[in-house]
């Protein structure tokens, strides 16, 4: 594709987009007419609903991108921009995850400028990994960049939610929001505790109780239930209706509370602070919920722990800020495990001792022991999420193995005596004759030739031997965004040459080193310990 001179990108389905833009304009007109001259409210509702849809469709329909010998030019409804090839450091694929049954990811092209800024082009866009039109336009962009600029990467960097180049502003905002919720819930603990103590210490009102203090004592009223209305949904209130509307028309209760009573039942209502707190019948007693001080404390603890996960994601991105933008960061799941372990002791402590955390000896001991365990969890999570860079692999050559180190040969000789198979979780990411349709999930070695299997053993059922004499190790690197979401972030990737075809092998660092040593030795049960030269 060295003869590419110009690439023009138009939105897919322009006629459909213009149709929805027209609907939006019609909806705006109908809403204006409805406000000016009156009419059914449904016209106003439909018109206001079509306006944002039409605006989005108009924005998408008017988008256009063109790349030529000068640079990249983009047009949208609100802005026009041109960037010279000399100002573009790299072309990237921006991958946005979409949690829908049919659409897995949305791909777009992003420009990395020399000054560090990043520009996402409105086009081209793709909603599939097998979009040949998107791939062709991306290849044409890269050809023009190589002809008229100086790309920094020899591959296509893919930036996704797993990579170091993705921003962390969203995680930081979520963390701050959850911390605000935790602070608000913690602020309400003292007032809730005060109300709980007042309810427990409240006594019945007497004739000598002053009118100003009657809200703090218990007033008993009699009533007769006219009917009950019990709903099936727990999210909707059920009701008790009273005869002659005395002392009130109806009282909101739970579904179970409404089922306790029958029409004609005589009940006593206990009123405190202007609200009915108890309904006492001949056979049943229903108490309305009085918030305990431990409840907002638990809510505060849950919000605080929930804020820890986006905080861990921000920490990992700051920790990996020196990594290339397309390298996958370690998963934050170890920190999530530490937070779950913290919840096991913090939530019961907050519920049982919401106001005595610093005064009760039992609470202090409980908090000290739990904090020590959480600190150990966090240290483990910090170590588990460290960035492991691939070590030097002293394996070079073509069509076989040349320059095998003595350590690798010795390792191969030690394993030559093994008569059992060892199954290692590893995957060849390309479909090959020994990995058709990417069926392999494990690599087996030890008791026979190196082979790919779709299972973790035992036995070599459906195993396909790996042609070690064809494979040459080119480099070992960390996982990139273009390797796909199925590769764990803690694995490494070995770039191999399979008789001129590039092949990628993914596995955990230690397992990958062991497999590469097996490849380096180039051995079979017949020539174990005798690597080819």
């Amino acid at each position: 594709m060295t003869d590419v001179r110009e690439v023009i990108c138009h939105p897919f389905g322009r006629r459909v987009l213009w149709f929805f833009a027209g609907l939006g304009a019609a909806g705006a007109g109908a809403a204006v007419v409805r406000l000016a001259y009156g009419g059914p409210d449904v016209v106003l509702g439909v018109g206001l609903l079509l306006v944002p849809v039409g605006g989005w469709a108009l924005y998408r329909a008017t988008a256009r991108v063109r790349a030529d010998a000068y640079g990249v030019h983009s047009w949208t409804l609100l802005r026009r921009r041109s960037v010279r090839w000399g100002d573009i450091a790299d072309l990237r694929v921006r991958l946005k995850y979409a949690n829908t049954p049919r659409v897995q990811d949305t791909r777009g092209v992003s420009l990395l400028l020399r000054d560090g800024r990043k520009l996402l082009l409105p086009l081209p866009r793709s909603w599939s990994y097998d979009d040949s039109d998107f791939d062709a336009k991306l290849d044409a962009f890269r050809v023009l960049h190589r002809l008229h600029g100086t790309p920094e990467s020899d591959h296509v960097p893919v930036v996704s939610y797993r990579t170091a180049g993705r921003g962390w502003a969203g995680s930081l905002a979520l963390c701050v929001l959850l911390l605000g919720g935790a602070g608000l819930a913690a602020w309400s603990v003292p007032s809730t505790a005060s109300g709980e103590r007042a309810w427990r210490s409240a006594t019945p009102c007497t004739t000598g109780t002053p009118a100003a203090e009657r809200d703090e004592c218990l007033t008993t009223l009699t009533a007769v239930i006219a009917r009950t209305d019990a709903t099936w949904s727990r999210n909707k209130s059920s009701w008790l209706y009273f005869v002659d509307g005395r002392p009130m028309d109806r009282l909101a209760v739970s579904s179970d509370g409404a089922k306790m009573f029958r029409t004609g039942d005589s009940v006593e209502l206990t009123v405190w602070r202007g609200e009915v707190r108890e309904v006492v019948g001949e056979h049943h007693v229903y108490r309305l919920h009085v918030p305990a001080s431990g409840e907002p404390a638990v809510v505060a603890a849950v919000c605080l722990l929930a804020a820890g996960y986006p905080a861990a994601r921000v920490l990992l991105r700051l920790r990996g800020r020196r990594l290339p933008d397309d390298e996958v960061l370690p998963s934050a799941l170890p920190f999530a495990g530490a937070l779950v372990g913290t919840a096991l002791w913090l939530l019961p402590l907050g519920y049982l001792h919401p106001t005595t955390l610093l005064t009760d000896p039992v609470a202090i001991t409980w908090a000290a022991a739990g904090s020590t365990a959480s600190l150990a969890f966090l240290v483990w999570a910090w170590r588990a999420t460290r960035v492991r860079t691939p070590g030097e692999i002293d394996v070079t050559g073509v069509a076989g193995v040349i320059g095998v180190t003595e350590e690798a040969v010795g390792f191969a000789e030690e394993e030559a005596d093994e008569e059992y198979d060892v199954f290692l979780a590893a995957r060849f990411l390309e479909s090959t004759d020994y990995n058709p349709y990417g069926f392999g999930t494990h690599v087996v070695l030890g008791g026979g030739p190196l082979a790919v299997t779709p299972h973790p053993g035992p036995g070599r059922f459906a195993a396909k031997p790996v042609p070690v004499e064809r494979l040459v190790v080119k480099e070992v690197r960390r996982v990139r965004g273009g390797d796909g979401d199925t590769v764990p972030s803690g694995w490494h990737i070995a770039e191999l040459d399979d008789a001129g075809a590039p092949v990628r092998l993914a596995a955990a660092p230690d397992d990958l080193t062991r497999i590469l040593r097996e490849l380096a030795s180039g051995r079979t049960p017949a020539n174990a310990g005798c690597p080819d030269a």
Side-chain angles (χ1 to χ4, degrees), residues 388-454:
R388 298 185 59 182
T389 57
E392 294 293 334
I393 305 297
D394 189 12
V395 180
T396 58
V398 292
V401 179
I402 299 176
V404 182
T405 63
E406 294 182 359
E407 180 184 0
V409 174
F411 186 88
E413 290 176 347
E414 291 177 3
E415 287 198 339
D417 297 333
E418 294 182 358
E419 297 181 355
Y420 55 88
D421 291 327
V422 178
F423 289 82
L424 303 178
R427 296 199 297 273
F428 285 94
L429 302 185
E430 280 74 25
S431 177
T432 61
D433 54 347
Y434 46 88
N435 185 46
Y437 305 103
F439 88 117
T441 60
H442 289 72
V443 170
V444 56
L445 50 88
L450 193 70
V452 178
T453 66

Side-chain angles (χ1 to χ4, degrees), residues 228-250:
T228 62
D229 183 9
T231 60
W232 293 100
S233 175
R234 293 184 177 271
N235 298 325
K236 295 183 179 180
S237 298
S238 298
W239 300 93
L240 297 179
Y241 293 86
F242 301 103
V243 174
D244 298 330
R246 294 184 300 177
M248 61 187 66
D249 290 336
R250 61 180 184 174

Side-chain angles (χ1 to χ4, degrees), residues 356-404:
T356 59
L357 292 176
L358 302 178
T359 57
D360 192 319
V362 175
I364 294 175
T365 304
W366 190 341
S371 299
T372 303
S374 294
L375 181 61
F377 288 148
L378 291 175
V379 170
W380 166 79
W382 178 264
R383 291 178 58 85
T385 55
R386 70 187 186 277
V387 177
R388 298 185 59 182
T389 57
E392 294 293 334
I393 305 297
D394 189 12
V395 180
T396 58
V398 292
V401 179
I402 299 176
V404 182

